[in-house]
């Protein structure tokens, strides 16, 4: 039983939250695939951290959390967590979500000062009756749960922001530095699928802007009977097409992960202005098959199994333009 839905005057609401309405239904088991991890961009270190969990018999959920915490904690990664590029006011604001094999989901958006938003998202999933906590509320919850308040703006990101302020031109760049949001999908030894997605969002975005990454069905979706999908790139385009959910539903209809990613990208291409934006999807199905597709050449993704970790170039809709001298 979860939230009661009414309050007796004087009752402390939080007491209603003590039993969380998480789904506990048994997870359907098919023949377990070999454990596998797939992530957006060149996130080999994140995949290795996730594989460590899986090799020890850990769950896909633990694996994806451990995996995406790597770029979240890396000050050299300027689009995720600590060291992420700030909004136009100079504040680093983070979006993240996580989804497990039972269909439980948790998310935080517009969260400041917490290095590992994915772990806060997991606490939202496991210890509240809600799916999304935003802004001040998410920060309050994180601090209550023992997360440390930190300054996430590194000197390097601060310097870049100060340079940006000289023109204040808001123009997201396709494939900027070849990395963006990390979305990660994993299948564990039991054949169960989970996913996580985390980002500092678009550099120099408006204060309060939230992208696709913390929105279940947009930046990430898992259906343990079918597979999972996650997105990177221009969140506004993904949000308007509910991309990750679309990819999973297309796989449900029988498409391969690669074809489903392509069709979801082409939905954006057909319905939205797309010349100057990147969107990339990666997906995995219950059999452990995977694929990717993006609008513009240049998106890559990394796949890890027991045997190897491989960086693969995504198929694309539009070739990269030749650099003009
Ligand atoms: N895909 C990340 C964002 O748009 O914030």
């Amino acid at each position: 039983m979860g939230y009661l839905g009414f309050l007796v005057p004087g009752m402390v609401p939080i007491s209603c939250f003590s039993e969380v309405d998480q789904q506990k239904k048994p997870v359907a088991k098919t023949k377990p695939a070999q454990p596998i991890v797939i992530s957006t961009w060149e996130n080999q270190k994140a995949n290795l951290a996730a594989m460590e969990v899986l090799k020890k018999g850990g769950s896909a959920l633990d694996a994806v959390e451990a995996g995406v915490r790597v770029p979240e904690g890396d000050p050299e990664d300027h689009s995720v967590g600590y060291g992420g590029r700030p909004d136009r006011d100079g504040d680093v604001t983070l979006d993240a979500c996580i989804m497990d094999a039972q269909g439980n989901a948790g998310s935080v958006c517009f969260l400041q000062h917490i290095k590992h938003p994915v772990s806060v998202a997991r606490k939202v999933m496991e210890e509240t009756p809600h799916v999304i906590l935003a802004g001040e509320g998410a920060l309050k919850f994180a601090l209550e749960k023992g997360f440390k308040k930190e300054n996430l703006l590194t000197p390097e990101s601060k310097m870049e922001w100060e340079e940006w302020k000289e023109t204040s031109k808001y123009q997201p760049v396709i494939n900027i530095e070849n990395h963006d949001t990390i979305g990660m999908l994993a299948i564990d030894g039991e054949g169960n699928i989970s996913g996580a997605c985390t980002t500092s969002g678009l550099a120099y975005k408006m204060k309060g802007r939230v992208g696709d990454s913390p929105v279940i069905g947009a930046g990430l979706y898992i259906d343990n009977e079918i597979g999972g999908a996650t997105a990177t790139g221009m969140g506004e385009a993904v949000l308007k097409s509910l991309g990750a959910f679309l990819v999973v539903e297309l796989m449900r209809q029988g498409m391969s992960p690669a074809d489903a990613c392509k069709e979801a990208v082409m939905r954006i291409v057909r319905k939205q202005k797309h010349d100057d934006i990147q969107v990339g999807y990666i997906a995995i199905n219950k059999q452990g098959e995977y694929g990717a597709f993006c609008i513009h050449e240049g998106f890559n993704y990394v796949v890890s199994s027991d045997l190897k970790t491989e960086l693969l170039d995504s198929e694309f809709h539009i070739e990269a333009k030749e650099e003009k001298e």
Side-chain angles (χ1 to χ4, degrees):
M1 189 183 70
Y3 181 50
L4 293 173
F6 63 90
L7 294 176
V8 174
M11 184 189 272
V12 181
I14 198 76
S15 65
C16 301
F17 295 170
S18 55
E19 292 175 70
V20 174
D21 189 18
Q22 285 211 37
Q23 293 187 47
K24 296 273 194 244
K25 63 178 185 282
V27 171
K29 287 187 185 162
T30 60
K31 173 173 172 353
Q34 287 301 311
I36 182 167
V37 179
I38 171 170
S39 298
T40 55
W41 304 109
E42 296 179 23
N43 278 301
Q44 290 93 330
K45 284 186 196 153
N47 272 29
L48 292 177
M51 277 309 295
E52 278 302 302
V53 174
L54 296 180
K55 279 185 197 161
K56 289 181 190 144
S59 69
L61 183 67
D62 286 342
V64 294
E65 182 187 5
V68 304
R69 281 174 61 98
V70 172
E72 279 186 344
D74 180 358
E76 300 302 317
D77 189 320
H78 296 299
S79 54
V80 179
Y82 175 55
R85 294 191 177 87
D87 64 15
R88 56 190 65 175
D89 294 356
D91 295 321
V92 180
T93 72
L94 304 177
D95 296 339
C97 74
I98 194 160
M99 192 163 185
D100 73 11
Q102 286 82 22
N104 300 305
S107 156
V108 288
C109 59
F110 192 50
L111 174 63
Q112 295 184 58
H113 308 302
I114 303 291
K115 198 183 259 182
H116 291 296
V118 73
S119 297
V120 186
R122 182 165 177 178
K123 291 253 180 248
V124 172
M125 176 173 86
E126 293 180 338
E127 297 181 26
T128 82
H130 305 308
V131 172
I132 305 179
L133 290 181
E136 283 296 313
L139 177 60
K140 180 170 181 279
F141 172 72
L143 297 176
E144 281 166 10
K145 292 292 165 189
F147 289 84
K148 200 168 99 197
K149 190 169 181 177
E150 295 178 68
N151 173 22
L152 303 182
L153 186 65
T154 55
E156 199 184 337
S157 288
K158 185 165 187 253
M159 204 167 68
E160 278 187 12
W161 167 64
E162 278 162 353
E163 278 168 21
W164 173 81
K165 278 199 296 181
E166 286 167 18
T167 57
S168 296
K169 192 167 175 214
Y170 179 67
Q171 192 169 43
V173 182
I174 289 173
N175 298 330
I176 184 157
E177 288 186 13
N178 250 7
H179 64 81
D180 175 76
T181 307
I182 179 167
M184 177 180 279
L185 309 166
I187 303 184
D188 61 29
E190 299 286 314
N192 290 321
I193 309 171
S194 295
C197 188
T198 176
T199 189
S200 50
L202 295 170
Y204 320 129
K205 60 195 174 185
M206 288 174 70
K207 166 130 333 279
R209 182 264 186 189
V210 170
D212 60 310
S213 303
V215 177
I216 301 299
L220 175 73
Y221 197 70
I222 303 293
D223 182 326
N224 198 47
E225 289 174 12
I226 305 299
T230 186
T232 182
M234 183 59 74
E236 280 71 6
V238 177
L239 281 165
K240 285 186 272 186
S241 55
L242 216 53
F245 182 73
L246 178 58
V247 172
V248 172
E249 290 308 298
L250 291 167
M251 290 195 291
R252 191 191 305 280
Q253 290 165 26
M255 282 192 188
S256 69
D259 287 348
C261 290
K262 180 173 183 180
E263 176 53 27
V265 164
M266 294 313 290
R267 191 76 62 92
I268 293 172
V269 167
R270 288 193 291 269
K271 290 183 182 271
Q272 299 188 41
K273 189 176 170 305
H274 58 274
D275 295 349
D276 54 358
I277 61 160
Q278 175 66 298
V279 169
Y281 292 114
I282 60 171
I284 196 161
N285 67 16
K286 193 69 180 165
Q287 290 72 44
E289 297 162 339
Y290 54 83
F293 201 83
C294 61
I295 301 178
H296 293 271
E297 185 175 5
F299 168 51
N300 51 21
Y301 62 108
V302 60
V303 181
S304 300
S305 67
D306 262 350
L307 302 175
K308 60 181 173 183
T309 287
E310 233 183 334
L311 182 67
L312 300 171
D313 288 326
S314 169
E315 299 287 308
F316 51 85
H317 177 61
I318 300 173
E319 267 183 43
K321 284 190 196 123
E322 290 294 319
E323 288 288 322
K324 289 203 180 93
E325 288 297 315

